Amino acid sequence: MGTRNSTATNNANDNGFTEDGLRRLREVLARHVESRRIPGLVALVGRGGRTHVEAIGTMRHDGGAPMRRDTIFRMASTSKPVTMAAAMVLLDECRLRLDDPVDPWLPELADRQVLRRPDGPLDDTVPARRPITVRDLLSSTFGLGVDFESMASPIRAATFERLDYSVASGPAPEPDEWMRRLGELPLQYQPGVRWQYDLSNEVVGVLVSRVAGRSLEAFLRERVLDPLGMVDTAFHVPADKIDRLPPLYGPDPRTGEFTVWDEAVGGRSSTPPAFQGAGGGLVSTADDYHAYFRMLLNHGMHGSERILSRAAVELMTTNRLSPDQLASREAMFGNVAHLSCGQGSAGGWGFGMAVRTRRDDYAPVGQFGWFGGTGTAAHADRTHRITGVLLTQVGLSTPDSPRVMNDFWTTLHQAVA
């Protein structure tokens, strides 16, 4: 069995969790590590300004250094809730407006053509009925993105070829070139019609950079990361911290054998990227994400400092989708619930994160947050004022890390005093 490290800043009875509940949480998480399907994990739960942390297992699947509270993880799509804060700052300052067209900052998206049929040929198009707005990008409804109902369509193939920079496909170009490639494609749907995953968040990152007049990371660091003390959150891991980054594994779906998707030293997270991906590019720690989600629970406040307006936080953490848009979101994640163990399939979408609009498991209505394809998850429960962060180094090529996420939240909600 891997190394286990359990810490709490106050005793369990004072922090709103029961001793029995935290013991069960630790036992459930340890069971996943003992199964040898998850080499290691870091779990943090917070309530009332206090935290409890479990660091279990090892950094590598074959042993070695133990997981630590300050282990740095590739956050993948769990980046979305944090990077979205940069756009919300610009909205708060009236440097962006929700219903303004994005054309002045993103001329590559002006005068769009739209496919006549979502699965049709790329040259069979009609003009867009209206410009793409800031709201379309923030709500993931601008007309392009991942859509599991049309994965075999020509537009999906073209989007993947030009814009994807996943583990398998290599790094993205710098933002202007990336936007040029995006501008060559028609939209799959008219702006505002359909919710589609991921791509809009990357465009939001470019939008923020152009409006702010500096890189996304520089603006995010000044306005969000540094004020919150998120010292380990960035778009790469510097050399003096690289020993805190585990390899990223993608188990073989057939055999379960661990395959390294990305090493630490010399890997993709070890150098600054040309494209700072707002949709999935951050690295971070459990404590950094706890600070961020606690700020959201506190309506934008961090101590006596305001990071975001109360209204901005409400926009981010409540459903922003119409019934028609919601139907496409539910169809997408409903089709893969058996692979993701239900992660992401229940309810609505705010700005950059999911929002529970109904109760169909242990998590209550109003919970908000998201998960990532590298085996990471962070959510907050406004009903009980709980933050929960679960970080692994196992990608979603198998259901193993989603199962840990599911069991983490199932057990956590039982531990509430």
Side-chain angles (χ1 to χ4, degrees), residues 367-382:
Q367 184 198 54
F368 55 84
W370 199 229
F371 72 109
T374 49
T376 62
H379 292 81
D381 165 7
R382 56 165 57 91

PDB file of all heavy atoms in Angstrom, residues 367-382:
ATOM      1  N   GLN A 367     -24.738  22.781  -5.905  1.00  0.00           N
ATOM      2  CA  GLN A 367     -23.309  22.488  -5.959  1.00  0.00           C
ATOM      3  C   GLN A 367     -22.753  22.954  -7.296  1.00  0.00           C
ATOM      4  O   GLN A 367     -23.389  22.799  -8.344  1.00  0.00           O
ATOM      5  CB  GLN A 367     -23.060  20.995  -5.795  1.00  0.00           C
ATOM      6  CG  GLN A 367     -21.571  20.627  -5.736  1.00  0.00           C
ATOM      7  CD  GLN A 367     -21.327  19.163  -6.015  1.00  0.00           C
ATOM      8  OE1 GLN A 367     -21.759  18.638  -7.050  1.00  0.00           O
ATOM      9  NE2 GLN A 367     -20.648  18.490  -5.117  1.00  0.00           N
ATOM     10  N   PHE A 368     -21.554  23.538  -7.285  1.00  0.00           N
ATOM     11  CA  PHE A 368     -20.949  24.004  -8.538  1.00  0.00           C
ATOM     12  C   PHE A 368     -19.480  23.615  -8.572  1.00  0.00           C
ATOM     13  O   PHE A 368     -18.839  23.430  -7.548  1.00  0.00           O
ATOM     14  CB  PHE A 368     -21.126  25.517  -8.707  1.00  0.00           C
ATOM     15  CG  PHE A 368     -20.610  26.346  -7.552  1.00  0.00           C
ATOM     16  CD1 PHE A 368     -19.271  26.700  -7.458  1.00  0.00           C
ATOM     17  CD2 PHE A 368     -21.483  26.787  -6.561  1.00  0.00           C
ATOM     18  CE1 PHE A 368     -18.801  27.468  -6.405  1.00  0.00           C
ATOM     19  CE2 PHE A 368     -21.019  27.546  -5.495  1.00  0.00           C
ATOM     20  CZ  PHE A 368     -19.678  27.890  -5.414  1.00  0.00           C
ATOM     21  N   GLY A 369     -18.957  23.468  -9.785  1.00  0.00           N
ATOM     22  CA  GLY A 369     -17.565  23.100  -9.991  1.00  0.00           C
ATOM     23  C   GLY A 369     -17.422  22.268 -11.250  1.00  0.00           C
ATOM     24  O   GLY A 369     -18.318  22.224 -12.096  1.00  0.00           O
ATOM     25  N   TRP A 370     -16.277  21.579 -11.374  1.00  0.00           N
ATOM     26  CA  TRP A 370     -16.066  20.795 -12.580  1.00  0.00           C
ATOM     27  C   TRP A 370     -14.976  19.773 -12.348  1.00  0.00           C
ATOM     28  O   TRP A 370     -14.341  19.735 -11.289  1.00  0.00           O
ATOM     29  CB  TRP A 370     -15.735  21.703 -13.769  1.00  0.00           C
ATOM     30  CG  TRP A 370     -15.941  21.063 -15.116  1.00  0.00           C
ATOM     31  CD1 TRP A 370     -15.052  21.054 -16.154  1.00  0.00           C
ATOM     32  CD2 TRP A 370     -17.094  20.343 -15.582  1.00  0.00           C
ATOM     33  NE1 TRP A 370     -15.586  20.380 -17.233  1.00  0.00           N
ATOM     34  CE2 TRP A 370     -16.847  19.926 -16.909  1.00  0.00           C
ATOM     35  CE3 TRP A 370     -18.304  20.014 -14.999  1.00  0.00           C
ATOM     36  CZ2 TRP A 370     -17.738  19.185 -17.666  1.00  0.00           C
ATOM     37  CZ3 TRP A 370     -19.224  19.267 -15.748  1.00  0.00           C
ATOM     38  CH2 TRP A 370     -18.940  18.877 -17.058  1.00  0.00           C
ATOM     39  N   PHE A 371     -14.758  18.918 -13.350  1.00  0.00           N
ATOM     40  CA  PHE A 371     -13.736  17.883 -13.275  1.00  0.00           C
ATOM     41  C   PHE A 371     -12.900  17.920 -14.546  1.00  0.00           C
ATOM     42  O   PHE A 371     -13.256  18.581 -15.521  1.00  0.00           O
ATOM     43  CB  PHE A 371     -14.372  16.506 -13.067  1.00  0.00           C
ATOM     44  CG  PHE A 371     -15.090  15.965 -14.285  1.00  0.00           C
ATOM     45  CD1 PHE A 371     -14.559  14.906 -15.000  1.00  0.00           C
ATOM     46  CD2 PHE A 371     -16.299  16.507 -14.709  1.00  0.00           C
ATOM     47  CE1 PHE A 371     -15.218  14.387 -16.107  1.00  0.00           C
ATOM     48  CE2 PHE A 371     -16.967  15.994 -15.811  1.00  0.00           C
ATOM     49  CZ  PHE A 371     -16.423  14.939 -16.518  1.00  0.00           C
ATOM     50  N   GLY A 372     -11.773  17.212 -14.515  1.00  0.00           N
ATOM     51  CA  GLY A 372     -10.850  17.265 -15.639  1.00  0.00           C
ATOM     52  C   GLY A 372     -10.419  15.893 -16.104  1.00  0.00           C
ATOM     53  O   GLY A 372     -10.401  14.923 -15.338  1.00  0.00           O
ATOM     54  N   GLY A 373     -10.042  15.817 -17.368  1.00  0.00           N
ATOM     55  CA  GLY A 373      -9.668  14.555 -17.985  1.00  0.00           C
ATOM     56  C   GLY A 373      -8.377  13.958 -17.480  1.00  0.00           C
ATOM     57  O   GLY A 373      -8.013  12.850 -17.866  1.00  0.00           O
ATOM     58  N   THR A 374      -7.651  14.677 -16.624  1.00  0.00           N
ATOM     59  CA  THR A 374      -6.445  14.146 -16.009  1.00  0.00           C
ATOM     60  C   THR A 374      -6.727  13.552 -14.627  1.00  0.00           C
ATOM     61  O   THR A 374      -5.801  13.230 -13.885  1.00  0.00           O
ATOM     62  CB  THR A 374      -5.385  15.247 -15.867  1.00  0.00           C
ATOM     63  OG1 THR A 374      -5.995  16.400 -15.255  1.00  0.00           O
ATOM     64  CG2 THR A 374      -4.829  15.636 -17.228  1.00  0.00           C
ATOM     65  N   GLY A 375      -8.008  13.443 -14.257  1.00  0.00           N
ATOM     66  CA  GLY A 375      -8.364  12.845 -12.980  1.00  0.00           C
ATOM     67  C   GLY A 375      -8.436  13.837 -11.836  1.00  0.00           C
ATOM     68  O   GLY A 375      -8.075  13.510 -10.700  1.00  0.00           O
ATOM     69  N   THR A 376      -8.899  15.048 -12.122  1.00  0.00           N
ATOM     70  CA  THR A 376      -9.007  16.092 -11.109  1.00  0.00           C
ATOM     71  C   THR A 376     -10.457  16.545 -10.989  1.00  0.00           C
ATOM     72  O   THR A 376     -11.234  16.454 -11.943  1.00  0.00           O
ATOM     73  CB  THR A 376      -8.150  17.313 -11.480  1.00  0.00           C
ATOM     74  OG1 THR A 376      -8.633  17.867 -12.730  1.00  0.00           O
ATOM     75  CG2 THR A 376      -6.685  16.920 -11.640  1.00  0.00           C
ATOM     76  N   ALA A 377     -10.825  17.065  -9.823  1.00  0.00           N
ATOM     77  CA  ALA A 377     -12.175  17.578  -9.623  1.00  0.00           C
ATOM     78  C   ALA A 377     -12.169  18.582  -8.486  1.00  0.00           C
ATOM     79  O   ALA A 377     -11.448  18.405  -7.499  1.00  0.00           O
ATOM     80  CB  ALA A 377     -13.163  16.449  -9.318  1.00  0.00           C
ATOM     81  N   ALA A 378     -12.989  19.625  -8.619  1.00  0.00           N
ATOM     82  CA  ALA A 378     -13.146  20.612  -7.549  1.00  0.00           C
ATOM     83  C   ALA A 378     -14.568  21.143  -7.603  1.00  0.00           C
ATOM     84  O   ALA A 378     -15.039  21.556  -8.670  1.00  0.00           O
ATOM     85  CB  ALA A 378     -12.142  21.754  -7.703  1.00  0.00           C
ATOM     86  N   HIS A 379     -15.235  21.113  -6.462  1.00  0.00           N
ATOM     87  CA  HIS A 379     -16.607  21.597  -6.368  1.00  0.00           C
ATOM     88  C   HIS A 379     -16.812  22.312  -5.038  1.00  0.00           C
ATOM     89  O   HIS A 379     -16.034  22.134  -4.095  1.00  0.00           O
ATOM     90  CB  HIS A 379     -17.615  20.444  -6.452  1.00  0.00           C
ATOM     91  CG  HIS A 379     -17.686  19.767  -7.780  1.00  0.00           C
ATOM     92  ND1 HIS A 379     -16.768  18.817  -8.163  1.00  0.00           N
ATOM     93  CD2 HIS A 379     -18.560  19.885  -8.809  1.00  0.00           C
ATOM     94  CE1 HIS A 379     -17.064  18.381  -9.388  1.00  0.00           C
ATOM     95  NE2 HIS A 379     -18.149  19.008  -9.795  1.00  0.00           N
ATOM     96  N   ALA A 380     -17.862  23.102  -4.991  1.00  0.00           N
ATOM     97  CA  ALA A 380     -18.295  23.700  -3.731  1.00  0.00           C
ATOM     98  C   ALA A 380     -19.789  23.470  -3.582  1.00  0.00           C
ATOM     99  O   ALA A 380     -20.531  23.495  -4.568  1.00  0.00           O
ATOM    100  CB  ALA A 380     -17.977  25.195  -3.697  1.00  0.00           C
ATOM    101  N   ASP A 381     -20.209  23.247  -2.344  1.00  0.00           N
ATOM    102  CA  ASP A 381     -21.599  22.980  -2.005  1.00  0.00           C
ATOM    103  C   ASP A 381     -22.097  24.166  -1.184  1.00  0.00           C
ATOM    104  O   ASP A 381     -21.718  24.324  -0.027  1.00  0.00           O
ATOM    105  CB  ASP A 381     -21.665  21.659  -1.228  1.00  0.00           C
ATOM    106  CG  ASP A 381     -22.982  21.437  -0.505  1.00  0.00           C
ATOM    107  OD1 ASP A 381     -23.916  22.224  -0.700  1.00  0.00           O
ATOM    108  OD2 ASP A 381     -23.046  20.473   0.276  1.00  0.00           O
ATOM    109  N   ARG A 382     -22.919  25.015  -1.818  1.00  0.00           N
ATOM    110  CA  ARG A 382     -23.364  26.214  -1.116  1.00  0.00           C
ATOM    111  C   ARG A 382     -24.379  25.907  -0.023  1.00  0.00           C
ATOM    112  O   ARG A 382     -24.556  26.708   0.892  1.00  0.00           O
ATOM    113  CB  ARG A 382     -23.927  27.242  -2.094  1.00  0.00           C
ATOM    114  CG  ARG A 382     -25.053  26.750  -2.978  1.00  0.00           C
ATOM    115  CD  ARG A 382     -25.796  27.915  -3.652  1.00  0.00           C
ATOM    116  NE  ARG A 382     -24.930  28.769  -4.439  1.00  0.00           N
ATOM    117  CZ  ARG A 382     -24.678  28.605  -5.734  1.00  0.00           C
ATOM    118  NH1 ARG A 382     -25.202  27.572  -6.388  1.00  0.00           N
ATOM    119  NH2 ARG A 382     -23.914  29.439  -6.375  1.00  0.00           N
TER     120      ARG A 382
END
